[in-house]
Amino acid sequence: DTIPDNLLHDLSSLSTLRISQSPKIQTIPSRLFQNLENLETLHLGSNGIQSVDGIYFPPSLGYLGLNNNRISSLSRTVFSGLKALWGLDLSNNQLDSLPEGIFND
């Protein structure tokens, strides 16, 4: 399934979003969350997501659930700028290791 990149454009006050339980979702548009300046909790678990590299995540994000997907690698900068991030669930993916310094920024 394909998610239009402007689907959430007018929902800037949204603080919690759950897009889960849809194995057909393999990709997330890179700008899908761009206008969600108040987003604090994002659940993307139990989909078929293969990569999150290049996706813009709002700096307000405190929790990011990426569990039960098909993510096999992450870039060192994928979580850059997420200063409010306190929780991250990457369980049950295809990750063997994480890049050195992935949480330094």
Side-chain angles (χ1 to χ4, degrees):
D1 290 0
T2 303
I3 300 173
D5 60 358
N6 63 350
L7 179 70
L8 307 172
H9 182 75
D10 296 327
L11 301 174
S12 62
S13 61
L14 196 68
S15 64
T16 300
L17 177 62
R18 179 180 301 271
I19 301 173
S20 59
Q21 304 291 326
S22 184
K24 291 184 179 181
I25 295 177
Q26 296 181 359
T27 59
I28 299 288
S30 62
R31 297 183 197 170
L32 183 64
F33 311 116
Q34 186 168 348
N35 293 326
L36 303 182
E37 55 206 37
N38 295 306
L39 190 64
E40 296 174 2
T41 304
L42 179 57
H43 297 275
L44 295 173
S46 300
N47 291 303
I49 299 170
Q50 298 175 352
S51 176
V52 292
D53 291 339
I55 295 176
Y56 170 83
F57 293 111
S60 57
L61 204 58
Y63 176 81
L64 178 57
L66 294 168
N67 55 302
N68 299 309
N69 279 291
R70 296 184 192 151
I71 301 168
S72 59
S73 66
L74 295 169
S75 72
R76 192 185 73 74
T77 59
V78 68
F79 304 124
S80 292
L82 297 182
K83 305 291 185 200
L85 192 67
W86 56 264
L88 175 64
D89 188 352
L90 291 168
S91 63
N92 297 314
N93 275 287
Q94 299 171 356
L95 294 166
D96 292 327
S97 63
L98 296 176
E100 187 174 329
I102 192 170
F103 300 112
N104 288 351
D105 190 18

